[in-house]
Amino acid sequence: MAVAPDPHKLLLPDPDFVPTFWTGKFFPTFMTGLGFASVCINKFALKKPLFSGIQMHIGVAAAAFGVSYMLQKWYDIRNMEKDAVYRHYIALHPDDFPMPERKKVGEIFPKFVPIR
């Protein structure tokens, strides 16, 4: 869907949006894998067997998942609150946000004349 020219509808959620499988899951999954890999790299650097003390791998991966999940939710809530504040401000000050006049591309760019 194209951007709506009406400033009152600019920050509303897109009704045609279909979330993908990774929407909201990529960051926690990535951080879980990164936490697991960091323990493996630590074991490799200390010249220990990679999967010795598997409880450390599981604990760090679980902690990384929990922290990243909370950060993802905080980020989503923060963005929703900011959009709500912007929508409220636009609703209270409609004279500061007039409807933009529609222009064609030919009106925006100057005529191109090649220099030879």
Side-chain angles (χ1 to χ4, degrees):
M1 183 171 129
V3 175
D6 185 12
H8 300 289
K9 297 180 182 176
L10 185 62
L11 296 172
L12 292 175
D14 186 7
D16 299 332
F17 176 70
V18 178
T20 63
F21 172 76
W22 286 108
T23 303
K25 296 182 183 95
F26 177 76
F27 185 61
T29 304
F30 177 76
M31 292 305 290
T32 301
L34 189 65
F36 188 86
S38 67
V39 176
C40 289
I41 291 170
N42 184 22
K43 299 280 186 179
F44 180 77
L46 295 175
K47 298 189 185 299
K48 293 183 178 180
L50 289 183
F51 295 108
S52 64
I54 195 70
Q55 70 276 7
M56 180 69 88
H57 296 72
I58 295 169
V60 170
F65 176 80
V67 168
S68 61
Y69 184 77
M70 291 172 61
L71 283 174
Q72 180 73 40
K73 291 300 177 191
W74 172 79
Y75 177 76
D76 292 342
I77 291 170
R78 186 178 132 247
N79 283 340
M80 285 189 287
E81 288 174 353
K82 280 175 52 177
D83 286 349
V85 168
Y86 293 151
R87 280 194 305 271
H88 183 65
Y89 184 81
I90 290 171
L92 292 179
H93 302 88
D95 50 333
D96 292 338
F97 301 95
M99 286 284 290
E101 61 184 48
R102 296 189 56 111
K103 296 180 184 177
K104 294 184 179 179
V105 176
E107 298 171 355
I108 297 173
F109 295 113
K111 182 159 175 57
F112 176 72
V113 179
I115 301 174
R116 296 185 183 196

